[in-house]
Amino acid sequence: DAAKSEAREQLDQDAIHKAVRDGVGFDVLNNQIKNHLYSWYIDTSRALAEKTAKKWSESDALNNLAVSLRVHGDHTTALRMLERCLELRRMKYGEEHAETEITYTQIGNTLNELGEYDRALQMHEKA
């Protein structure tokens, strides 16, 4: 919360807080900071996933990135990645493999978080 930020000198802190209040306001500033950090996190995660995809399978990299996206509330993007992960795991391992079943569970959990309860239940039943 930018409103709780401190400066070394009280006069500086007061001047900065006044400038923010008189300008964009703390809510807008906090939202901009949050969006910037989120974008950085996603870009960094994607770069890491691409780099590690050489060591991991593509499905593992997609799965790991999807988990991070879910933790940070981007359930829609996570769902797309998990659905691609599921395609790859079904082709590689088949329907009855533990990795495939785990992916069905993760898709079900993500759908549940999105409020798509009927589809979530279908995924959990497949797991």
Side-chain angles (χ1 to χ4, degrees), residues 50-87:
E50 289 171 7
K51 183 178 180 180
T52 58
K54 295 173 186 166
K55 296 178 185 173
W56 297 340
S57 68
E58 181 182 355
S59 66
D60 290 340
L62 287 167
N63 178 71
N64 292 340
L65 182 54
V67 169
S68 294
L69 289 166
R70 280 184 60 211
V71 167
H72 290 279
D74 191 352
H75 305 299
T76 302
T77 306
L79 179 60
R80 284 196 318 267
M81 292 188 175
L82 287 169
E83 288 170 338
R84 176 65 181 143
C85 176
L86 179 63
E87 289 175 31

PDB file of all heavy atoms in Angstrom, residues 50-87:
ATOM      1  N   GLU A  50      10.020 -21.255 -20.681  1.00  0.00           N
ATOM      2  CA  GLU A  50      10.632 -21.527 -21.985  1.00  0.00           C
ATOM      3  C   GLU A  50      12.050 -22.063 -21.817  1.00  0.00           C
ATOM      4  O   GLU A  50      12.465 -22.980 -22.514  1.00  0.00           O
ATOM      5  CB  GLU A  50      10.626 -20.267 -22.842  1.00  0.00           C
ATOM      6  CG  GLU A  50       9.239 -19.878 -23.321  1.00  0.00           C
ATOM      7  CD  GLU A  50       9.211 -18.512 -23.983  1.00  0.00           C
ATOM      8  OE1 GLU A  50      10.285 -17.906 -24.196  1.00  0.00           O
ATOM      9  OE2 GLU A  50       8.105 -18.046 -24.283  1.00  0.00           O
ATOM     10  N   LYS A  51      12.772 -21.481 -20.886  1.00  0.00           N
ATOM     11  CA  LYS A  51      14.150 -21.909 -20.646  1.00  0.00           C
ATOM     12  C   LYS A  51      14.190 -23.331 -20.096  1.00  0.00           C
ATOM     13  O   LYS A  51      15.007 -24.147 -20.521  1.00  0.00           O
ATOM     14  CB  LYS A  51      14.821 -20.951 -19.661  1.00  0.00           C
ATOM     15  CG  LYS A  51      16.264 -21.247 -19.387  1.00  0.00           C
ATOM     16  CD  LYS A  51      16.845 -20.204 -18.443  1.00  0.00           C
ATOM     17  CE  LYS A  51      18.301 -20.494 -18.152  1.00  0.00           C
ATOM     18  NZ  LYS A  51      18.873 -19.505 -17.238  1.00  0.00           N
ATOM     19  N   THR A  52      13.317 -23.630 -19.164  1.00  0.00           N
ATOM     20  CA  THR A  52      13.316 -24.956 -18.550  1.00  0.00           C
ATOM     21  C   THR A  52      12.634 -25.994 -19.421  1.00  0.00           C
ATOM     22  O   THR A  52      12.813 -27.186 -19.187  1.00  0.00           O
ATOM     23  CB  THR A  52      12.645 -24.927 -17.163  1.00  0.00           C
ATOM     24  OG1 THR A  52      11.321 -24.433 -17.295  1.00  0.00           O
ATOM     25  CG2 THR A  52      13.427 -24.078 -16.196  1.00  0.00           C
ATOM     26  N   ALA A  53      11.901 -25.556 -20.429  1.00  0.00           N
ATOM     27  CA  ALA A  53      11.238 -26.515 -21.313  1.00  0.00           C
ATOM     28  C   ALA A  53      12.258 -27.406 -22.015  1.00  0.00           C
ATOM     29  O   ALA A  53      11.931 -28.512 -22.433  1.00  0.00           O
ATOM     30  CB  ALA A  53      10.363 -25.787 -22.340  1.00  0.00           C
ATOM     31  N   LYS A  54      13.480 -26.926 -22.123  1.00  0.00           N
ATOM     32  CA  LYS A  54      14.534 -27.747 -22.713  1.00  0.00           C
ATOM     33  C   LYS A  54      14.852 -28.933 -21.809  1.00  0.00           C
ATOM     34  O   LYS A  54      15.246 -29.986 -22.280  1.00  0.00           O
ATOM     35  CB  LYS A  54      15.782 -26.901 -22.957  1.00  0.00           C
ATOM     36  CG  LYS A  54      15.564 -25.816 -23.990  1.00  0.00           C
ATOM     37  CD  LYS A  54      16.743 -24.887 -24.091  1.00  0.00           C
ATOM     38  CE  LYS A  54      16.391 -23.736 -25.033  1.00  0.00           C
ATOM     39  NZ  LYS A  54      17.323 -22.643 -24.932  1.00  0.00           N
ATOM     40  N   LYS A  55      14.697 -28.750 -20.494  1.00  0.00           N
ATOM     41  CA  LYS A  55      14.954 -29.825 -19.549  1.00  0.00           C
ATOM     42  C   LYS A  55      13.678 -30.605 -19.241  1.00  0.00           C
ATOM     43  O   LYS A  55      13.707 -31.806 -19.043  1.00  0.00           O
ATOM     44  CB  LYS A  55      15.525 -29.260 -18.244  1.00  0.00           C
ATOM     45  CG  LYS A  55      16.860 -28.601 -18.400  1.00  0.00           C
ATOM     46  CD  LYS A  55      17.342 -28.033 -17.092  1.00  0.00           C
ATOM     47  CE  LYS A  55      18.630 -27.259 -17.286  1.00  0.00           C
ATOM     48  NZ  LYS A  55      19.035 -26.560 -16.084  1.00  0.00           N
ATOM     49  N   TRP A  56      12.580 -29.894 -19.132  1.00  0.00           N
ATOM     50  CA  TRP A  56      11.293 -30.518 -18.843  1.00  0.00           C
ATOM     51  C   TRP A  56      10.543 -30.725 -20.142  1.00  0.00           C
ATOM     52  O   TRP A  56      10.882 -30.178 -21.178  1.00  0.00           O
ATOM     53  CB  TRP A  56      10.436 -29.612 -17.978  1.00  0.00           C
ATOM     54  CG  TRP A  56      10.965 -29.292 -16.629  1.00  0.00           C
ATOM     55  CD1 TRP A  56      11.900 -29.969 -15.916  1.00  0.00           C
ATOM     56  CD2 TRP A  56      10.570 -28.191 -15.818  1.00  0.00           C
ATOM     57  NE1 TRP A  56      12.109 -29.363 -14.706  1.00  0.00           N
ATOM     58  CE2 TRP A  56      11.302 -28.274 -14.621  1.00  0.00           C
ATOM     59  CE3 TRP A  56       9.670 -27.157 -15.974  1.00  0.00           C
ATOM     60  CZ2 TRP A  56      11.153 -27.362 -13.591  1.00  0.00           C
ATOM     61  CZ3 TRP A  56       9.516 -26.246 -14.950  1.00  0.00           C
ATOM     62  CH2 TRP A  56      10.254 -26.356 -13.778  1.00  0.00           C
ATOM     63  N   SER A  57       9.491 -31.460 -20.056  1.00  0.00           N
ATOM     64  CA  SER A  57       8.613 -31.553 -21.216  1.00  0.00           C
ATOM     65  C   SER A  57       7.799 -30.262 -21.303  1.00  0.00           C
ATOM     66  O   SER A  57       7.681 -29.512 -20.327  1.00  0.00           O
ATOM     67  CB  SER A  57       7.674 -32.750 -21.066  1.00  0.00           C
ATOM     68  OG  SER A  57       6.750 -32.523 -20.019  1.00  0.00           O
ATOM     69  N   GLU A  58       7.235 -30.018 -22.462  1.00  0.00           N
ATOM     70  CA  GLU A  58       6.391 -28.828 -22.632  1.00  0.00           C
ATOM     71  C   GLU A  58       5.209 -28.884 -21.672  1.00  0.00           C
ATOM     72  O   GLU A  58       4.825 -27.867 -21.090  1.00  0.00           O
ATOM     73  CB  GLU A  58       5.897 -28.728 -24.072  1.00  0.00           C
ATOM     74  CG  GLU A  58       5.030 -27.506 -24.328  1.00  0.00           C
ATOM     75  CD  GLU A  58       4.484 -27.427 -25.741  1.00  0.00           C
ATOM     76  OE1 GLU A  58       4.836 -28.277 -26.580  1.00  0.00           O
ATOM     77  OE2 GLU A  58       3.692 -26.508 -26.002  1.00  0.00           O
ATOM     78  N   SER A  59       4.658 -30.071 -21.469  1.00  0.00           N
ATOM     79  CA  SER A  59       3.503 -30.177 -20.573  1.00  0.00           C
ATOM     80  C   SER A  59       3.881 -29.829 -19.136  1.00  0.00           C
ATOM     81  O   SER A  59       3.110 -29.184 -18.425  1.00  0.00           O
ATOM     82  CB  SER A  59       2.873 -31.577 -20.642  1.00  0.00           C
ATOM     83  OG  SER A  59       3.753 -32.560 -20.149  1.00  0.00           O
ATOM     84  N   ASP A  60       5.082 -30.218 -18.694  1.00  0.00           N
ATOM     85  CA  ASP A  60       5.522 -29.863 -17.343  1.00  0.00           C
ATOM     86  C   ASP A  60       5.689 -28.350 -17.207  1.00  0.00           C
ATOM     87  O   ASP A  60       5.299 -27.770 -16.191  1.00  0.00           O
ATOM     88  CB  ASP A  60       6.840 -30.554 -16.993  1.00  0.00           C
ATOM     89  CG  ASP A  60       6.703 -32.053 -16.800  1.00  0.00           C
ATOM     90  OD1 ASP A  60       5.573 -32.520 -16.565  1.00  0.00           O
ATOM     91  OD2 ASP A  60       7.727 -32.746 -16.886  1.00  0.00           O
ATOM     92  N   ALA A  61       6.268 -27.726 -18.224  1.00  0.00           N
ATOM     93  CA  ALA A  61       6.460 -26.282 -18.179  1.00  0.00           C
ATOM     94  C   ALA A  61       5.110 -25.561 -18.152  1.00  0.00           C
ATOM     95  O   ALA A  61       4.917 -24.618 -17.375  1.00  0.00           O
ATOM     96  CB  ALA A  61       7.290 -25.823 -19.380  1.00  0.00           C
ATOM     97  N   LEU A  62       4.158 -26.015 -18.979  1.00  0.00           N
ATOM     98  CA  LEU A  62       2.822 -25.417 -18.976  1.00  0.00           C
ATOM     99  C   LEU A  62       2.138 -25.603 -17.630  1.00  0.00           C
ATOM    100  O   LEU A  62       1.502 -24.694 -17.103  1.00  0.00           O
ATOM    101  CB  LEU A  62       1.962 -26.039 -20.083  1.00  0.00           C
ATOM    102  CG  LEU A  62       2.294 -25.633 -21.505  1.00  0.00           C
ATOM    103  CD1 LEU A  62       1.586 -26.550 -22.493  1.00  0.00           C
ATOM    104  CD2 LEU A  62       1.914 -24.182 -21.740  1.00  0.00           C
ATOM    105  N   ASN A  63       2.267 -26.797 -17.078  1.00  0.00           N
ATOM    106  CA  ASN A  63       1.650 -27.084 -15.784  1.00  0.00           C
ATOM    107  C   ASN A  63       2.209 -26.162 -14.705  1.00  0.00           C
ATOM    108  O   ASN A  63       1.457 -25.571 -13.928  1.00  0.00           O
ATOM    109  CB  ASN A  63       1.886 -28.543 -15.404  1.00  0.00           C
ATOM    110  CG  ASN A  63       1.318 -28.867 -14.053  1.00  0.00           C
ATOM    111  OD1 ASN A  63       0.107 -28.932 -13.883  1.00  0.00           O
ATOM    112  ND2 ASN A  63       2.178 -29.065 -13.080  1.00  0.00           N
ATOM    113  N   ASN A  64       3.524 -26.023 -14.642  1.00  0.00           N
ATOM    114  CA  ASN A  64       4.141 -25.192 -13.610  1.00  0.00           C
ATOM    115  C   ASN A  64       3.749 -23.725 -13.750  1.00  0.00           C
ATOM    116  O   ASN A  64       3.495 -23.046 -12.752  1.00  0.00           O
ATOM    117  CB  ASN A  64       5.654 -25.359 -13.633  1.00  0.00           C
ATOM    118  CG  ASN A  64       6.076 -26.743 -13.200  1.00  0.00           C
ATOM    119  OD1 ASN A  64       5.325 -27.463 -12.551  1.00  0.00           O
ATOM    120  ND2 ASN A  64       7.278 -27.132 -13.570  1.00  0.00           N
ATOM    121  N   LEU A  65       3.689 -23.239 -14.969  1.00  0.00           N
ATOM    122  CA  LEU A  65       3.275 -21.859 -15.184  1.00  0.00           C
ATOM    123  C   LEU A  65       1.806 -21.689 -14.812  1.00  0.00           C
ATOM    124  O   LEU A  65       1.426 -20.691 -14.192  1.00  0.00           O
ATOM    125  CB  LEU A  65       3.527 -21.441 -16.627  1.00  0.00           C
ATOM    126  CG  LEU A  65       3.194 -19.997 -16.982  1.00  0.00           C
ATOM    127  CD1 LEU A  65       3.901 -19.017 -16.044  1.00  0.00           C
ATOM    128  CD2 LEU A  65       3.570 -19.714 -18.419  1.00  0.00           C
ATOM    129  N   ALA A  66       0.976 -22.649 -15.147  1.00  0.00           N
ATOM    130  CA  ALA A  66      -0.452 -22.577 -14.805  1.00  0.00           C
ATOM    131  C   ALA A  66      -0.654 -22.522 -13.297  1.00  0.00           C
ATOM    132  O   ALA A  66      -1.501 -21.777 -12.804  1.00  0.00           O
ATOM    133  CB  ALA A  66      -1.201 -23.763 -15.404  1.00  0.00           C
ATOM    134  N   VAL A  67       0.131 -23.290 -12.562  1.00  0.00           N
ATOM    135  CA  VAL A  67       0.035 -23.259 -11.098  1.00  0.00           C
ATOM    136  C   VAL A  67       0.346 -21.856 -10.584  1.00  0.00           C
ATOM    137  O   VAL A  67      -0.373 -21.314  -9.734  1.00  0.00           O
ATOM    138  CB  VAL A  67       0.972 -24.312 -10.461  1.00  0.00           C
ATOM    139  CG1 VAL A  67       1.090 -24.101  -8.964  1.00  0.00           C
ATOM    140  CG2 VAL A  67       0.471 -25.718 -10.765  1.00  0.00           C
ATOM    141  N   SER A  68       1.392 -21.244 -11.121  1.00  0.00           N
ATOM    142  CA  SER A  68       1.748 -19.882 -10.706  1.00  0.00           C
ATOM    143  C   SER A  68       0.649 -18.887 -11.059  1.00  0.00           C
ATOM    144  O   SER A  68       0.321 -18.004 -10.263  1.00  0.00           O
ATOM    145  CB  SER A  68       3.056 -19.446 -11.373  1.00  0.00           C
ATOM    146  OG  SER A  68       4.121 -20.219 -10.905  1.00  0.00           O
ATOM    147  N   LEU A  69       0.084 -19.033 -12.238  1.00  0.00           N
ATOM    148  CA  LEU A  69      -0.993 -18.132 -12.651  1.00  0.00           C
ATOM    149  C   LEU A  69      -2.199 -18.265 -11.733  1.00  0.00           C
ATOM    150  O   LEU A  69      -2.821 -17.266 -11.356  1.00  0.00           O
ATOM    151  CB  LEU A  69      -1.387 -18.417 -14.098  1.00  0.00           C
ATOM    152  CG  LEU A  69      -0.361 -18.003 -15.143  1.00  0.00           C
ATOM    153  CD1 LEU A  69      -0.684 -18.643 -16.483  1.00  0.00           C
ATOM    154  CD2 LEU A  69      -0.309 -16.492 -15.272  1.00  0.00           C
ATOM    155  N   ARG A  70      -2.537 -19.498 -11.369  1.00  0.00           N
ATOM    156  CA  ARG A  70      -3.671 -19.709 -10.452  1.00  0.00           C
ATOM    157  C   ARG A  70      -3.409 -19.058  -9.107  1.00  0.00           C
ATOM    158  O   ARG A  70      -4.297 -18.426  -8.536  1.00  0.00           O
ATOM    159  CB  ARG A  70      -3.934 -21.203 -10.251  1.00  0.00           C
ATOM    160  CG  ARG A  70      -4.710 -21.840 -11.383  1.00  0.00           C
ATOM    161  CD  ARG A  70      -5.036 -23.285 -11.106  1.00  0.00           C
ATOM    162  NE  ARG A  70      -5.841 -23.415  -9.901  1.00  0.00           N
ATOM    163  CZ  ARG A  70      -5.783 -24.468  -9.091  1.00  0.00           C
ATOM    164  NH1 ARG A  70      -4.955 -25.457  -9.336  1.00  0.00           N
ATOM    165  NH2 ARG A  70      -6.554 -24.537  -8.034  1.00  0.00           N
ATOM    166  N   VAL A  71      -2.218 -19.207  -8.597  1.00  0.00           N
ATOM    167  CA  VAL A  71      -1.874 -18.618  -7.300  1.00  0.00           C
ATOM    168  C   VAL A  71      -2.066 -17.104  -7.339  1.00  0.00           C
ATOM    169  O   VAL A  71      -2.497 -16.493  -6.369  1.00  0.00           O
ATOM    170  CB  VAL A  71      -0.423 -18.979  -6.902  1.00  0.00           C
ATOM    171  CG1 VAL A  71       0.069 -18.129  -5.746  1.00  0.00           C
ATOM    172  CG2 VAL A  71      -0.326 -20.461  -6.568  1.00  0.00           C
ATOM    173  N   HIS A  72      -1.793 -16.506  -8.482  1.00  0.00           N
ATOM    174  CA  HIS A  72      -1.895 -15.052  -8.616  1.00  0.00           C
ATOM    175  C   HIS A  72      -3.233 -14.610  -9.199  1.00  0.00           C
ATOM    176  O   HIS A  72      -3.393 -13.447  -9.564  1.00  0.00           O
ATOM    177  CB  HIS A  72      -0.729 -14.512  -9.432  1.00  0.00           C
ATOM    178  CG  HIS A  72       0.549 -14.613  -8.673  1.00  0.00           C
ATOM    179  ND1 HIS A  72       0.914 -13.699  -7.721  1.00  0.00           N
ATOM    180  CD2 HIS A  72       1.517 -15.562  -8.664  1.00  0.00           C
ATOM    181  CE1 HIS A  72       2.055 -14.059  -7.179  1.00  0.00           C
ATOM    182  NE2 HIS A  72       2.437 -15.185  -7.728  1.00  0.00           N
ATOM    183  N   GLY A  73      -4.189 -15.528  -9.268  1.00  0.00           N
ATOM    184  CA  GLY A  73      -5.555 -15.158  -9.619  1.00  0.00           C
ATOM    185  C   GLY A  73      -5.888 -15.104 -11.090  1.00  0.00           C
ATOM    186  O   GLY A  73      -7.004 -14.737 -11.448  1.00  0.00           O
ATOM    187  N   ASP A  74      -4.971 -15.469 -11.962  1.00  0.00           N
ATOM    188  CA  ASP A  74      -5.263 -15.446 -13.408  1.00  0.00           C
ATOM    189  C   ASP A  74      -5.745 -16.830 -13.828  1.00  0.00           C
ATOM    190  O   ASP A  74      -5.062 -17.585 -14.513  1.00  0.00           O
ATOM    191  CB  ASP A  74      -4.028 -15.026 -14.202  1.00  0.00           C
ATOM    192  CG  ASP A  74      -4.346 -14.734 -15.663  1.00  0.00           C
ATOM    193  OD1 ASP A  74      -5.488 -15.003 -16.105  1.00  0.00           O
ATOM    194  OD2 ASP A  74      -3.449 -14.250 -16.371  1.00  0.00           O
ATOM    195  N   HIS A  75      -6.963 -17.151 -13.407  1.00  0.00           N
ATOM    196  CA  HIS A  75      -7.516 -18.488 -13.632  1.00  0.00           C
ATOM    197  C   HIS A  75      -7.818 -18.764 -15.107  1.00  0.00           C
ATOM    198  O   HIS A  75      -7.679 -19.905 -15.556  1.00  0.00           O
ATOM    199  CB  HIS A  75      -8.771 -18.681 -12.790  1.00  0.00           C
ATOM    200  CG  HIS A  75      -8.536 -18.432 -11.338  1.00  0.00           C
ATOM    201  ND1 HIS A  75      -7.645 -19.157 -10.586  1.00  0.00           N
ATOM    202  CD2 HIS A  75      -9.057 -17.507 -10.493  1.00  0.00           C
ATOM    203  CE1 HIS A  75      -7.638 -18.714  -9.350  1.00  0.00           C
ATOM    204  NE2 HIS A  75      -8.481 -17.701  -9.266  1.00  0.00           N
ATOM    205  N   THR A  76      -8.201 -17.738 -15.847  1.00  0.00           N
ATOM    206  CA  THR A  76      -8.541 -17.923 -17.258  1.00  0.00           C
ATOM    207  C   THR A  76      -7.310 -18.343 -18.068  1.00  0.00           C
ATOM    208  O   THR A  76      -7.372 -19.299 -18.848  1.00  0.00           O
ATOM    209  CB  THR A  76      -9.155 -16.631 -17.830  1.00  0.00           C
ATOM    210  OG1 THR A  76     -10.310 -16.301 -17.046  1.00  0.00           O
ATOM    211  CG2 THR A  76      -9.561 -16.820 -19.277  1.00  0.00           C
ATOM    212  N   THR A  77      -6.198 -17.656 -17.876  1.00  0.00           N
ATOM    213  CA  THR A  77      -4.968 -18.019 -18.589  1.00  0.00           C
ATOM    214  C   THR A  77      -4.468 -19.369 -18.109  1.00  0.00           C
ATOM    215  O   THR A  77      -4.015 -20.191 -18.906  1.00  0.00           O
ATOM    216  CB  THR A  77      -3.888 -16.941 -18.402  1.00  0.00           C
ATOM    217  OG1 THR A  77      -4.422 -15.676 -18.792  1.00  0.00           O
ATOM    218  CG2 THR A  77      -2.648 -17.244 -19.227  1.00  0.00           C
ATOM    219  N   ALA A  78      -4.553 -19.614 -16.808  1.00  0.00           N
ATOM    220  CA  ALA A  78      -4.136 -20.906 -16.264  1.00  0.00           C
ATOM    221  C   ALA A  78      -4.940 -22.042 -16.896  1.00  0.00           C
ATOM    222  O   ALA A  78      -4.380 -23.083 -17.233  1.00  0.00           O
ATOM    223  CB  ALA A  78      -4.301 -20.913 -14.747  1.00  0.00           C
ATOM    224  N   LEU A  79      -6.229 -21.825 -17.057  1.00  0.00           N
ATOM    225  CA  LEU A  79      -7.084 -22.863 -17.658  1.00  0.00           C
ATOM    226  C   LEU A  79      -6.634 -23.178 -19.081  1.00  0.00           C
ATOM    227  O   LEU A  79      -6.530 -24.356 -19.453  1.00  0.00           O
ATOM    228  CB  LEU A  79      -8.547 -22.408 -17.646  1.00  0.00           C
ATOM    229  CG  LEU A  79      -9.543 -23.379 -18.253  1.00  0.00           C
ATOM    230  CD1 LEU A  79      -9.536 -24.716 -17.509  1.00  0.00           C
ATOM    231  CD2 LEU A  79     -10.941 -22.768 -18.258  1.00  0.00           C
ATOM    232  N   ARG A  80      -6.340 -22.156 -19.867  1.00  0.00           N
ATOM    233  CA  ARG A  80      -5.868 -22.392 -21.246  1.00  0.00           C
ATOM    234  C   ARG A  80      -4.590 -23.223 -21.242  1.00  0.00           C
ATOM    235  O   ARG A  80      -4.426 -24.148 -22.044  1.00  0.00           O
ATOM    236  CB  ARG A  80      -5.637 -21.070 -21.979  1.00  0.00           C
ATOM    237  CG  ARG A  80      -6.902 -20.381 -22.428  1.00  0.00           C
ATOM    238  CD  ARG A  80      -6.668 -19.304 -23.477  1.00  0.00           C
ATOM    239  NE  ARG A  80      -5.514 -18.464 -23.246  1.00  0.00           N
ATOM    240  CZ  ARG A  80      -5.532 -17.297 -22.605  1.00  0.00           C
ATOM    241  NH1 ARG A  80      -6.657 -16.827 -22.132  1.00  0.00           N
ATOM    242  NH2 ARG A  80      -4.428 -16.582 -22.467  1.00  0.00           N
ATOM    243  N   MET A  81      -3.684 -22.904 -20.341  1.00  0.00           N
ATOM    244  CA  MET A  81      -2.417 -23.641 -20.276  1.00  0.00           C
ATOM    245  C   MET A  81      -2.635 -25.071 -19.798  1.00  0.00           C
ATOM    246  O   MET A  81      -2.017 -25.999 -20.313  1.00  0.00           O
ATOM    247  CB  MET A  81      -1.431 -22.909 -19.382  1.00  0.00           C
ATOM    248  CG  MET A  81      -0.989 -21.616 -20.000  1.00  0.00           C
ATOM    249  SD  MET A  81       0.331 -20.863 -19.080  1.00  0.00           S
ATOM    250  CE  MET A  81       0.674 -19.489 -20.163  1.00  0.00           C
ATOM    251  N   LEU A  82      -3.516 -25.249 -18.835  1.00  0.00           N
ATOM    252  CA  LEU A  82      -3.802 -26.603 -18.352  1.00  0.00           C
ATOM    253  C   LEU A  82      -4.501 -27.450 -19.421  1.00  0.00           C
ATOM    254  O   LEU A  82      -4.245 -28.647 -19.527  1.00  0.00           O
ATOM    255  CB  LEU A  82      -4.650 -26.545 -17.077  1.00  0.00           C
ATOM    256  CG  LEU A  82      -3.909 -26.090 -15.826  1.00  0.00           C
ATOM    257  CD1 LEU A  82      -4.900 -25.810 -14.700  1.00  0.00           C
ATOM    258  CD2 LEU A  82      -2.878 -27.125 -15.397  1.00  0.00           C
ATOM    259  N   GLU A  83      -5.362 -26.825 -20.206  1.00  0.00           N
ATOM    260  CA  GLU A  83      -6.025 -27.570 -21.282  1.00  0.00           C
ATOM    261  C   GLU A  83      -5.010 -28.027 -22.320  1.00  0.00           C
ATOM    262  O   GLU A  83      -5.086 -29.157 -22.816  1.00  0.00           O
ATOM    263  CB  GLU A  83      -7.131 -26.715 -21.914  1.00  0.00           C
ATOM    264  CG  GLU A  83      -8.335 -26.567 -20.990  1.00  0.00           C
ATOM    265  CD  GLU A  83      -9.346 -25.541 -21.469  1.00  0.00           C
ATOM    266  OE1 GLU A  83      -8.986 -24.643 -22.272  1.00  0.00           O
ATOM    267  OE2 GLU A  83     -10.511 -25.633 -21.020  1.00  0.00           O
ATOM    268  N   ARG A  84      -4.043 -27.190 -22.652  1.00  0.00           N
ATOM    269  CA  ARG A  84      -2.967 -27.591 -23.578  1.00  0.00           C
ATOM    270  C   ARG A  84      -2.104 -28.675 -22.943  1.00  0.00           C
ATOM    271  O   ARG A  84      -1.732 -29.654 -23.587  1.00  0.00           O
ATOM    272  CB  ARG A  84      -2.119 -26.377 -23.969  1.00  0.00           C
ATOM    273  CG  ARG A  84      -0.941 -26.714 -24.831  1.00  0.00           C
ATOM    274  CD  ARG A  84      -1.351 -27.251 -26.193  1.00  0.00           C
ATOM    275  NE  ARG A  84      -0.157 -27.568 -26.961  1.00  0.00           N
ATOM    276  CZ  ARG A  84      -0.050 -28.593 -27.774  1.00  0.00           C
ATOM    277  NH1 ARG A  84      -1.078 -29.391 -27.978  1.00  0.00           N
ATOM    278  NH2 ARG A  84       1.075 -28.829 -28.410  1.00  0.00           N
ATOM    279  N   CYS A  85      -1.807 -28.520 -21.658  1.00  0.00           N
ATOM    280  CA  CYS A  85      -1.044 -29.517 -20.911  1.00  0.00           C
ATOM    281  C   CYS A  85      -1.767 -30.872 -20.965  1.00  0.00           C
ATOM    282  O   CYS A  85      -1.140 -31.915 -21.180  1.00  0.00           O
ATOM    283  CB  CYS A  85      -0.867 -29.051 -19.471  1.00  0.00           C
ATOM    284  SG  CYS A  85      -0.035 -30.216 -18.393  1.00  0.00           S
ATOM    285  N   LEU A  86      -3.076 -30.845 -20.783  1.00  0.00           N
ATOM    286  CA  LEU A  86      -3.864 -32.078 -20.831  1.00  0.00           C
ATOM    287  C   LEU A  86      -3.764 -32.743 -22.201  1.00  0.00           C
ATOM    288  O   LEU A  86      -3.570 -33.966 -22.285  1.00  0.00           O
ATOM    289  CB  LEU A  86      -5.320 -31.798 -20.484  1.00  0.00           C
ATOM    290  CG  LEU A  86      -6.256 -33.004 -20.530  1.00  0.00           C
ATOM    291  CD1 LEU A  86      -5.836 -34.049 -19.500  1.00  0.00           C
ATOM    292  CD2 LEU A  86      -7.694 -32.557 -20.301  1.00  0.00           C
ATOM    293  N   GLU A  87      -3.879 -31.959 -23.257  1.00  0.00           N
ATOM    294  CA  GLU A  87      -3.738 -32.520 -24.610  1.00  0.00           C
ATOM    295  C   GLU A  87      -2.411 -33.256 -24.754  1.00  0.00           C
ATOM    296  O   GLU A  87      -2.362 -34.391 -25.259  1.00  0.00           O
ATOM    297  CB  GLU A  87      -3.796 -31.413 -25.672  1.00  0.00           C
ATOM    298  CG  GLU A  87      -5.128 -30.779 -25.900  1.00  0.00           C
ATOM    299  CD  GLU A  87      -5.020 -29.621 -26.892  1.00  0.00           C
ATOM    300  OE1 GLU A  87      -4.148 -29.664 -27.795  1.00  0.00           O
ATOM    301  OE2 GLU A  87      -5.802 -28.666 -26.760  1.00  0.00           O
TER     302      GLU A  87
END
